[in-house]
C-alpha cells in the first residue's frame, strides 16, 4: 500500500513527540525535526508507512544518540496479559463459538501499537478487553476462514506487537484445539523495532510450545517482500493459510498476490477509507 500525506504527517508527529519525551536539548530536537520532516517528505509514493517508520527510527540513534528502546513497555504489556491469559482463554472456550470469540480478541489487541500511539500505558489492556467484547467478526470472512481451515494443513501467522501477541497465542491455542493437525509457523520481526515481537519475546510468552517461531530477517515493522529472509518467503509461498496481524503487515503485504486474512485495529483514516471500516474499530478482512 502506498504512502499518502496522512501517513507522512502521522509518522512525523509520533516520532517528534517521542523525541521530545527523551531529549530536552533544543538544538538536537530542532535538527531531528528538520531531518525527520525531510525523510517524510522525500519518501516516494511507492514506499509505505513501515519502511518510512524504519527510516525515522534510525534518526533517533544518529541525531539524539538514544536509539528507541521499548523493552520496558513490551515486558509490561506481555506480563499483564500473561497474568490474564488463562482466564481469558477459559472464558473464550465457554462461549458459543470459541474460534470467533478468540478472533475478536486478536482483532482488538492490535490497539497496542506504539508506532501509532506514542504514550500508551497499561490501561490500554482494559480498553482492548472491552473492545474485544464489542467487536463483530464479518460473517462472510469468517465462513471462508472456517472453510479454509477445514482443508488446511499449514498456517503462517504474521505477528505484530508485544502484549497483542499473548492474545494471538490464545487464538493459536484455540486453533490447535479445534484443528490439532494444523501446523502453525509464527513469523516475528528479525530485529527489535518499536514494540514489535521478536523471537526472544515469543519465547518469553511461551509461544514456541504451540508454533514454530521464526524471525523474518528485517527491522522493518512489517513484511517487506524485498527485505525478508528466504525462509519467510518460503513459508509465505507454501502455507495453506496466511493470517496477518496489524497495519504494518497489511501495508507491506496487501496487494502483493497473496491470499491472506488481515486482522487489525483500524487506527487511521487511510485504512478506514480503503476498507470502509470505522476508525478505531477492530476488523478482519480477506484478500
Amino acid at each position: 500500500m502506498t504512502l499518502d500525506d496522512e501517513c507522512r504527517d502521522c509518522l512525523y508527529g509520533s516520532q517528534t513527540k517521542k523525541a521530545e519525551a527523551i531529549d530536552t536539548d533544543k538544538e538536537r530536537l530542532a535538527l531531528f525535526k528538520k531531518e525527520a520532516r525531510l525523510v517524510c517528505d522525500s519518501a516516494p509514493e511507492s514506499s509505505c508507512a513501515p519502511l518510512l517508520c524504519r527510516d525515522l527510527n534510525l534518526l533517533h540513534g544518529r541525531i539524539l544518540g538514544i536509539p528507541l528502546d521499548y523493552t520496558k513497555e513490551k515486558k509490561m504489556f506481555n506480563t499483564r496479559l500473561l497474568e490474564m491469559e488463562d482466564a481469558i482463554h477459559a472464558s473464550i472456550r465457554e462461549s458459543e463459538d470459541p474460534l470467533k470469540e478468540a478472533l475478536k480478541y486478536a482483532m482488538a489487541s492490535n490497539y497496542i501499537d506504539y508506532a501509532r500511539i506514542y504514550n500508551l500505558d497499561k490501561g490500554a489492556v482494559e480498553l482492548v478487553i472491552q473492545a474485544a467484547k464489542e467487536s463483530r467478526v464479518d460473517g462472510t470472512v469468517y465462513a471462508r476462514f472456517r472453510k479454509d481451515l477445514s482443508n488446511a494443513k499449514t498456517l503462517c501467522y504474521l505477528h505484530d506487537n508485544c502484549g497483542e501477541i499473548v492474545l494471538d497465542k490464545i487464538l493459536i491455542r484455540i486453533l490447535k484445539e479445534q484443528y490439532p493437525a494444523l501446523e502453525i509457523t509464527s513469523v516475528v520481526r528479525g530485529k527489535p523495532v518499536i514494540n514489535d515481537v521478536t523471537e526472544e519475546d515469543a519465547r518469553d510468552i511461551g509461544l514456541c510450545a504451540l508454533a514454530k517461531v521464526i524471525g523474518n530477517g528485517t527491522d522493518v515493522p512489517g513484511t517487506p517482500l524485498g527485505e525478508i529472509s528466504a525462509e519467510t518467503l518460503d513459508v509465505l509461498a507454501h502455507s495453506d493459510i496466511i493470517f496477518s496481524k496489524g497495519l504494518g503487515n497489511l501495508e507491506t503485504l496487501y496487494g502483493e498476490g497473496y491470499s491472506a486474512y488481515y486482522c487489525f485495529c483500524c487506527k487511521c483514516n487511510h485504512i478506514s477509507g480503503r476498507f470502509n471500516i470505522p476508525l478505531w474499530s477492530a476488523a478482519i478482512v480477506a484478500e
Side-chain angles (χ1 to χ4, degrees):
M1 300 180 71
T2 58
L3 277 174
D4 64 10
D5 288 340
E6 183 192 8
C7 293
R8 300 173 198 271
D9 291 342
C10 174
L11 285 169
Y12 174 79
S14 64
Q15 290 282 359
T16 54
K17 287 176 181 176
K18 291 172 188 175
E20 290 169 345
I22 62 177
D23 199 335
T24 58
D25 185 277
K26 292 183 179 180
E27 290 187 6
R28 281 197 299 268
L29 285 174
L31 177 60
F32 178 86
K33 291 178 181 180
K34 177 182 178 181
E35 292 288 328
R37 187 74 265 176
L38 180 61
V39 168
C40 290
D41 290 345
S42 62
E45 287 187 11
S46 59
S47 184
C48 61
L51 291 172
L52 180 55
C53 186
R54 189 263 305 275
D55 293 341
L56 288 168
N57 284 345
L58 294 174
L59 287 180
H60 283 267
R62 181 167 67 82
I63 295 177
L64 305 182
I66 309 172
L68 288 174
D69 183 0
Y70 288 92
T71 302
K72 179 180 177 181
E73 290 83 357
K74 293 200 296 183
K75 289 187 179 298
M76 174 182 70
F77 278 108
N78 280 349
T79 299
R80 176 67 181 125
L81 281 158
L82 283 171
E83 292 170 350
M84 304 171 69
E85 179 186 0
D86 288 342
I88 294 172
H89 179 241
S91 70
I92 288 173
R93 291 190 68 191
E94 293 170 0
S95 67
E96 182 178 345
D97 187 339
L99 180 57
K100 182 181 286 187
E101 194 72 9
L103 276 172
K104 290 164 61 177
Y105 279 87
M107 289 156 50
S109 66
N110 185 238
Y111 178 80
I112 305 172
D113 179 5
Y114 278 89
R116 181 66 176 87
I117 311 169
Y118 79 98
N119 58 349
L120 280 172
D121 59 32
K122 62 182 179 181
V125 171
E126 281 61 45
L127 292 176
V128 165
I129 300 303
Q130 186 58 39
K133 294 175 181 178
E134 298 172 357
S135 296
R136 297 290 181 268
V137 178
D138 182 278
T140 301
V141 175
Y142 184 60
R144 174 178 158 182
F145 187 49
R146 275 288 196 186
K147 182 178 179 181
D148 285 350
L149 283 168
S150 67
N151 298 312
K153 295 181 180 179
T154 56
L155 183 147
C156 169
Y157 201 122
L158 300 174
H159 293 277
D160 194 13
N161 303 312
C162 282
E164 174 180 358
I165 197 176
V166 178
L167 296 176
D168 292 338
K169 179 186 171 186
I170 293 175
L171 173 55
I172 290 173
R173 289 175 69 177
I174 297 295
L175 284 169
K176 296 294 287 186
E177 290 166 7
Q178 296 193 4
Y179 303 92
L182 186 66
E183 295 182 8
I184 299 175
T185 300
S186 283
V187 181
V188 299
R189 306 297 183 234
K191 301 175 184 178
V193 55
I194 325 175
N195 64 314
D196 289 25
V197 178
T198 63
E199 290 179 81
E200 179 181 358
D201 300 319
R203 286 193 297 270
D204 287 347
I205 64 107
L207 185 60
C208 299
L210 296 168
K212 177 183 178 182
V213 177
I214 64 170
N216 70 2
T218 179
D219 60 350
V220 174
T223 308
L225 297 177
E227 298 191 27
I228 57 175
S229 66
E231 181 182 23
T232 303
L233 284 170
D234 186 67
V235 170
L236 288 172
H238 295 100
S239 293
D240 296 322
I241 297 175
I242 297 172
F243 190 86
S244 169
K245 286 298 302 291
L247 299 185
N249 289 325
L250 169 72
E251 290 178 289
T252 46
L253 197 62
Y254 191 87
E256 296 295 334
Y258 293 92
S259 178
Y261 293 91
Y262 296 93
C263 180
F264 56 91
C265 175
C266 183
K267 298 186 284 280
C268 68
N269 291 317
H270 175 68
I271 299 298
S272 175
R274 175 66 178 79
F275 295 100
N276 194 27
I277 295 169
L279 193 63
W280 296 109
S281 63
I284 180 170
V285 301
E287 183 181 21

